[in-house]
Amino acid sequence: MGERTVTSGGEVLRELLAEGVSPWLDGLRRSLLTSGTLTRLVAAGRVRGATTDPAALAAEVAGGTSYAQQLCHLTCRSVPLTTAVQALCAYDLRTACDELQPVFAATQGLDGHVSMDPVVHPGGCAGALADSAVALHRAACRPNALVKLPATDAGLAAAGECLARGIGVHVTGIFSVQRYEHVVEAWFEGLERARGAGLDLSVIPSVAGLPVARLDAEVDGLLRSAGAAPELRGTAALAVARLVYQRYEEGLGSARWRVLASAGARPQRLMWSVGSGGSGGSAISGSSAVSGGSAIPATPGGSAGSGVPYVEALVAWGTVSALSSAALEAVVERGRLRGDTLTGQDGAARAAVARLERCGVSFGEVAKRLEADSVAHEVSSWRGLRGAVAARMRGGAE
């Protein structure tokens, strides 16, 4: 679809859906469930899925009251710490899945999913990740639950194992085209194994997540440190997203995919984590605007990390934009779309990558560093969650 200007306000979310982009709530936690926030967002048609973040859960366990009643119950029963953490997470996952069940039913399973990390060290071995993911999915006991796994070698092996068992996955932390290709290979292999086992491929969803704001922040930081090409700030994430989308389309045009599609499989969807909340990563990094739509521009009057520029700039069929509740409101208030911004833009994307590489940016090194940082952040977040739960249980969950 060609670029065009559309109205702002609540209409922008309907326009996103018309372009094939589903808005998901990023950073789901208990207070958004108990307050009815998720219920209202679903009823208003503003979100079509949700994903959680252990750092947000840890902060709410430590400083809020939303988890107090369940923690008190778990403490009275002398439940072990790991079991208690999983119980909290499984409750949130089940409840959110139930809230999004109407979307899941209305879209025949295309939307209405909720993803959550398994309760295990994110840097652990593939077997431990897969076992924990299976345990979480079993505890959730909902068809629209997804397990979230890192795009590391171990995480992809675990994702393939889950898919082979009929469990939907959300692979996160993809920072390069090469790593996305690894994700696609794991997805194909997992579905092929599921097909060989006689499973129904139509009920095995998959999402591949790119934290685009974090990628821009990293590359823009390198450019600032080198005092190089300020006009190129804000171009990295859009370039990578366009190249990834090209690979997405190539995969769906392959003979390998046609075999799986004939067996009922659905395409793996691309997710842009676009804000500073939850798994969205760092704040939007720059205020540059490069002609020709090759940069993520700042939004007039918008705040850094609002997510609005990414929602506007990353539009194509079959994708998801994951936003915090604050970013979602900012998009509703200030968002404006220009139609499809990714399809057929691989030439411009390759040119943008070449310009950045001439300025000293090594996308391979950037991806490697961000992947390591992402795993370290997840490890720290889960450590924080376990610590917060342990502290509340020692204090009687008061």
Side-chain angles (χ1 to χ4, degrees), residues 6 30 34 62 64 85 142 200 206 226 244 264 291 303 317 342 359 367 390 395:
V6 302
R30 184 72 57 90
T34 57
V85 173
R142 298 294 187 273
D200 181 0
S206 181
V244 164
S291 63
S303 60
W317 194 263
L342 303 180
C359 290

Side-chain angles (χ1 to χ4, degrees), residues 87-156:
L88 296 180
C89 292
Y91 182 92
D92 284 357
L93 183 54
R94 281 194 301 272
T95 305
C97 283
D98 289 345
E99 293 285 356
L100 281 153
Q101 175 61 30
V103 178
F104 183 73
T107 61
Q108 297 182 315
L110 175 64
D111 268 319
H113 298 100
V114 183
S115 73
M116 177 174 281
D117 307 75
V119 185
V120 70
H121 191 302
C125 68
L129 281 168
D131 289 345
S132 184
V134 170
L136 177 64
H137 195 267
R138 186 181 298 120
C141 196
R142 298 294 187 273
N144 51 336
L146 303 180
V147 292
K148 195 193 303 184
L149 292 161
T152 59
D153 291 343
L156 293 182

Side-chain angles (χ1 to χ4, degrees), residues 8-9 12 299-303 306 308 312 326 329-336:
S8 61
V12 72
T299 301
S303 60
S306 69
V308 175
E312 295 172 337
E329 290 305 313
V331 169
V332 169
E333 293 173 5
R334 301 192 297 276
R336 281 172 171 75

Side-chain angles (χ1 to χ4, degrees), residues 344-357:
Q345 297 294 326
D346 50 293
R350 282 192 292 270
V353 168
R355 287 194 297 270
L356 287 163
E357 288 178 337

Side-chain angles (χ1 to χ4, degrees), residues 211-237:
V212 286
R214 290 169 61 187
L215 179 57
D216 260 350
E218 181 71 16
V219 173
D220 289 358
L222 293 174
L223 293 174
R224 280 193 296 270
S225 296
E231 73 277 6
L232 295 183
R233 295 174 192 169
T235 64

Side-chain angles (χ1 to χ4, degrees), residues 10 24 46 52 63 69 85 102 116 133 141 154 163 172 237-238 265 270 280 287 301 353 376:
W24 282 30
R46 291 191 172 186
T52 66
Q69 184 175 359
V85 173
M116 177 174 281
C141 196
L163 291 165
T172 63
L238 181 56
L270 290 168
S287 58
V353 168

